[in-house]
Amino acid sequence: MTLALLTTLGTLGSAVPLAHADGTDDLKHKHQDVQAQIEQAQESAEEASKAVNRAKSDLATAESQLADAQVSYAGAQAHVSDVQAQLADAQAVDAQMQAALQAAQADLAQAKAEVRAGQAALDAQQQAVKDSVVSVYQQGSPELMAWTGYLQSQTPSDLIRKMEYADTLIEDQNTVFDQLHAAELALRAERDEVRTAEQAADEQADRAAQQLVNVQQLEQEATEAANDALLAQDQVTLTVAARAKAQRKAERAKRQDLEQLEKLKKQEARIKAQILAAAAADQSAGYVGDDDGFLLPPVTGAVTSPFGYRIHPIYGYWGLHDGTDFGVSCGEGMRAAADGKVLSRYYSPVYGNRLYVDVGKVNGHALTVVYNHATSYRVDVGDHVTRGEVVGYVGSTGWSTGCHLHFTVLQDGTAVDPMNYL
């Protein structure tokens, strides 16, 4: 709607058919004053529209950033949950490792105690053996003493008694040696158990130490993940605030733009009344005949956006596109659609370089054609042009996203579908 109104206002103000107003100076001066006012209003509206575009761009960026921040926050939260679950598992394993380590250490302590007890028993056995050996050397060999006793026996009963004594003495010595051997074997086994327990305790300590490192790493990762989640949450908060700010900025720019357009609409009503009055003063018949084909297509390009209602490019509502867009390359020549006279040529912040050509009356209606977004023009105000003459060159000046010609036809000051005349 904004672009349509600005085009209409700009063209209406310039399309006053001076050639049909009996050349009155008063109307010329009014036309010039109104044209200047419209140009100033156009510039203000253009700045407001640009502000809207910037605000809408900021809003779109903020919305995109908000979506990214929300995804990042969700991912960070999921990562925190995952790391915390891993940490809980690791802490449980660590507790088991510590319990196993304590058990291994207790087994080692028990084995060492048994070694100490075994060593004491062995020492006692060794001392008994020493005493027995000393006694043997002091008293002589037990076997020799037994045989001596046997020979000195006086009676059979005395012989039997001495034989029993010798056997007991020999058995006691054998028992001492057997106990010593058993103590040595037991001590050896207990020392083997100590070595096994020490190895098990060392291995358990290594596993517990590694598990502790894993737990510490997971704790650090959990802390970092929590911080990342907090930062992501802060980013979401900041982005929401930025989005709200962009929204307010867009609404404010839109409000200012619409206020300016409301003023322009009032001016439009006054200008159109002047144009109609000037047209009524023209008593010539002009062209009478078939409208179709009266105008020559200004360029050879295809139609990229027809005349009619469409979604407004700024505000998104349904509005009038007051001309026909032709897709052509920059620099291509634009032809005069009919014989006529150049009424106005100037630069508009919205439509770039503009040219208005009065082509006279057609079936009783004052007809004006308008060329927009040109790179440059070859004709100037007051020049007469002939049908097919190159009047300028296609461009992308003003509010344009690419090379094209926006071609407008005004019928009695009101924009109509150019295709009705092409």
Side-chain angles (χ1 to χ4, degrees):
M1 180 176 178
T2 304
L3 300 182
L5 287 176
L6 290 176
T7 301
T8 302
L9 290 173
T11 52
L12 288 178
S14 302
V16 177
L18 302 180
H20 311 305
D22 298 329
T24 60
D25 292 338
D26 184 57
L27 185 57
K28 288 181 181 179
H29 290 314
K30 287 182 179 180
H31 168 261
Q32 293 172 352
D33 291 342
V34 171
Q35 182 64 49
Q37 294 173 11
I38 291 176
E39 280 299 302
Q40 182 62 41
Q42 281 180 321
E43 292 179 2
S44 299
E46 165 66 0
E47 288 303 317
S49 296
K50 286 183 177 179
V52 172
N53 274 345
R54 289 192 297 267
K56 286 178 70 67
S57 177
D58 293 343
L59 178 59
T61 300
E63 288 176 341
S64 176
Q65 292 175 345
L66 176 59
D68 292 342
Q70 289 172 333
V71 170
S72 176
Y73 178 53
Q77 285 183 317
H79 183 55
V80 168
S81 299
D82 182 56
V83 173
Q84 287 178 338
Q86 294 180 23
L87 178 58
D89 293 341
Q91 288 172 334
V93 173
D94 183 58
Q96 295 174 357
M97 291 286 186
Q98 293 298 327
L101 176 59
Q102 291 176 358
Q105 290 173 337
D107 291 342
L108 177 59
Q110 179 63 30
K112 288 182 177 179
E114 292 175 354
V115 166
R116 287 193 296 271
Q119 184 66 53
L122 180 61
D123 291 342
Q125 293 297 325
Q126 288 175 339
Q127 185 62 44
V129 170
K130 290 179 181 178
D131 293 342
S132 177
V133 171
V134 170
S135 176
V136 168
Y137 280 103
Q138 288 177 347
Q139 298 179 10
S141 171
E143 290 82 358
L144 181 60
M145 290 174 63
W147 284 107
T148 301
Y150 298 157
L151 295 175
Q152 293 176 354
S153 298
Q154 299 297 320
T155 64
S157 59
D158 186 31
L159 176 62
I160 293 172
R161 182 178 57 80
K162 288 182 177 181
M163 290 178 65
E164 289 177 350
Y165 174 77
D167 290 341
T168 301
L169 180 61
I170 292 171
E171 287 177 359
D172 289 343
Q173 290 178 344
N174 290 336
T175 299
V176 170
F177 282 106
D178 288 341
Q179 290 175 347
L180 176 60
H181 182 63
E184 289 175 343
L185 292 178
L187 182 59
R188 186 180 304 163
E190 288 166 354
R191 284 175 175 171
D192 289 341
E193 290 178 0
V194 168
R195 284 193 293 270
T196 302
E198 285 177 339
Q199 183 178 1
D202 289 342
E203 292 176 353
Q204 194 60 47
D206 290 341
R207 288 195 292 270
Q210 182 59 48
Q211 184 60 28
L212 179 60
V213 172
N214 293 339
V215 170
Q216 291 173 342
Q217 289 177 344
L218 286 172
E219 287 176 344
Q220 181 178 359
E221 188 175 352
T223 300
E224 292 174 353
N227 291 336
D228 291 342
L230 182 61
L231 291 175
Q233 184 178 21
D234 291 343
Q235 184 61 41
V236 170
T237 302
L238 293 175
T239 307
V240 168
R243 182 179 182 276
K245 181 179 180 181
Q247 182 68 45
R248 292 192 300 270
K249 185 178 180 181
E251 291 174 353
R252 183 170 60 252
K254 176 181 178 180
R255 184 171 57 253
Q256 294 172 348
D257 200 1
L258 294 178
E259 290 173 356
Q260 185 63 47
L261 290 176
E262 187 60 30
K263 296 178 182 179
L264 292 175
K265 289 171 69 175
K266 294 179 180 178
Q267 284 186 329
E268 176 188 0
R270 294 193 299 268
I271 296 170
K272 187 172 182 178
Q274 291 178 331
I275 292 176
L276 292 176
D282 182 13
Q283 302 300 317
S284 64
Y287 171 81
V288 177
D290 188 6
D291 293 343
D292 187 17
F294 173 76
L295 295 179
L296 177 71
V299 290
T300 57
V303 173
T304 56
S305 183
F307 176 91
Y309 285 87
R310 66 178 182 179
I311 297 296
H312 194 280
I314 298 176
Y315 299 131
Y317 57 71
W318 196 242
L320 178 65
H321 179 238
D322 71 340
T324 298
D325 287 348
F326 295 91
V328 285
S329 301
C330 285
E332 181 173 333
M334 300 182 300
R335 300 172 299 193
D339 294 346
K341 181 180 180 181
V342 178
L343 294 179
S344 182
R345 171 184 143 173
Y346 65 93
Y347 179 84
S348 163
V350 179
Y351 287 105
N353 291 316
R354 313 189 76 186
L355 185 73
Y356 303 83
V357 178
D358 177 13
V359 297
K361 281 189 175 181
V362 178
N363 292 324
H365 299 287
L367 208 66
T368 305
V369 296
V370 186
Y371 302 79
N372 303 282
H373 303 303
T375 296
S376 62
Y377 290 107
R378 297 181 58 188
V379 293
D380 209 340
V381 176
D383 290 347
H384 289 274
V385 298
T386 58
R387 182 184 179 91
E389 177 184 350
V390 174
V391 296
Y393 303 97
V394 173
S396 184
T397 56
W399 207 354
S400 170
T401 58
C403 299
H404 74 290
L405 167 62
H406 179 87
F407 184 69
T408 301
V409 173
L410 300 177
Q411 181 177 284
D412 295 327
T414 300
V416 297
D417 189 353
M419 303 307 292
N420 294 336
Y421 289 94
L422 295 175

